[in-house]
């Protein structure tokens, strides 16, 4: 399970993720769709640990 609460990421004045809330259940197949510049790659980079969020929290199997 992945649970995301209030995730925020900014690049200067640009807000890439604005208080994102998302929950993906174990075994669930999930896709990210959206236009260029809407934060898909930023979200995946944060989940992979390549970038740090500016706010919010991420739980993997109920662990931060």
């Amino acid at each position: 399970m992945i649970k995301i609460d209030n995730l925020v990421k900014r690049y200067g004045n640009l807000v890439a993720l604005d208080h994102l809330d998302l929950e993906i259940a174990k075994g669930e197949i999930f896709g990210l769709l959206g236009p260029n510049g809407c934060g898909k790659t930023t979200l995946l980079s944060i989940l992979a640990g390549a970038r740090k969020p500016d706010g919010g929290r991420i739980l993997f199997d109920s662990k931060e």
Side-chain angles (χ1 to χ4, degrees):
M1 190 236 354
I2 299 173
K3 184 171 183 180
I4 300 170
D5 290 319
N6 252 344
L7 195 65
V8 175
K9 180 64 180 173
R10 292 183 182 91
Y11 299 101
N13 291 331
L14 175 70
V15 180
L17 297 173
D18 189 13
H19 302 282
L20 175 69
D21 293 322
L22 179 65
E23 190 168 329
I24 305 170
K26 187 173 183 168
E28 185 174 14
I29 297 172
F30 189 84
L32 291 172
L33 301 173
N36 292 344
C38 72
K40 300 177 303 285
T41 301
T42 298
L43 174 60
L44 292 177
S45 295
I46 291 171
L47 290 173
R51 297 190 191 278
K52 294 198 181 275
D54 295 321
R57 71 180 191 164
I58 301 171
L59 300 174
F60 292 97
D61 290 329
S62 302
K63 298 175 191 139
E64 261 187 82

